[in-house]
Structures are given as C-alpha cells and as structure tokens.
Amino acid sequence: PGDDNRYIYFSNRAACFNQVGEYTRAVEDCTIALTYNARFFKTLYRRAQAYERLGKKAHAIADLEQLLVLHPNNSQGREYYNRITGKVPATADGAAAGLLQPAPS
C-alpha cells in the first residue's frame, strides 16, 4: 500500500534543497515527486527554479510550459515563464509550438 502524499514529501524536501542551494538534489526530488503526481504545479515550479539555478534554462522553460498546460491560470507560473523567456505563452487551448502535452490521467 502506497502513501498518496509521497509527492508532497518529495516536493517539500525539494523546496528545502532549493533554499540551501542544493539544486541538483532539488531536481532529483522533484523528478521523483512527479512520478507520483505529474500534475502538482508546485513540483514543476520548484524543479524549474532548480534547473534555472543550475544553468539549464531550456529545462526550466519546459517545466514552466508543462505547468501552464496543466494549470493555465496559475499566475505565479505565468509570471515566472514571462520573466525567464521574455514572452507570453499560448493558453492550453491555443496550442503553441513546443508545449508539452498534459500527462494522462
């Protein structure tokens, strides 16, 4: 029997790793968290932050695009995306080139 909150535990630990500058460990924990719940916006946001700090801007942008596909009205994710790219992404119903598709339910 699994613990349905495992994604929260890993995502929260990733937030702690981001706070202390352990960005590689934050990416690892976010990746694990996403295996339990690929739709949790905080995990995608936190992994994008870690990727950006590791100098992996393309990975950060991909996570933010995924976040906005899944949660198009997430203002925090949209502001971060706008800052990192300098542009405005398409909405989920306005298929922009390169946007990742939502994970199957």
Side-chain angles (χ1 to χ4, degrees):
D3 181 345
D4 291 338
N5 292 316
R6 285 181 284 196
Y7 73 96
I8 295 172
Y9 306 145
F10 282 103
S11 185
N12 285 346
R13 189 168 74 171
C16 295
F17 285 140
N18 271 340
Q19 287 294 318
V20 298
E22 294 284 338
Y23 306 121
T24 299
R25 293 179 77 184
V27 167
E28 292 168 355
D29 272 7
C30 286
T31 301
I32 293 168
L34 290 168
T35 66
Y36 294 113
N37 183 343
R39 300 183 59 84
F40 190 48
F41 75 91
K42 287 183 181 182
T43 304
L44 289 163
Y45 190 91
R46 290 169 180 162
R47 191 168 72 171
Q49 290 177 310
Y51 275 141
E52 181 183 19
R53 291 179 179 125
L54 288 168
K56 297 181 177 184
K57 186 176 175 180
H59 292 302
I61 291 169
D63 276 350
L64 292 169
E65 288 174 340
Q66 180 69 13
L67 185 157
L68 293 172
V69 165
L70 296 170
H71 306 281
N73 296 321
N74 184 289
S75 61
Q76 188 177 16
R78 186 164 302 281
E79 288 171 15
Y80 187 15
Y81 180 89
N82 289 344
R83 180 185 63 76
I84 198 170
T85 64
K87 62 182 178 181
V88 179
T91 59
D93 59 3
L99 287 186
L100 299 176
Q101 296 304 309
S105 304

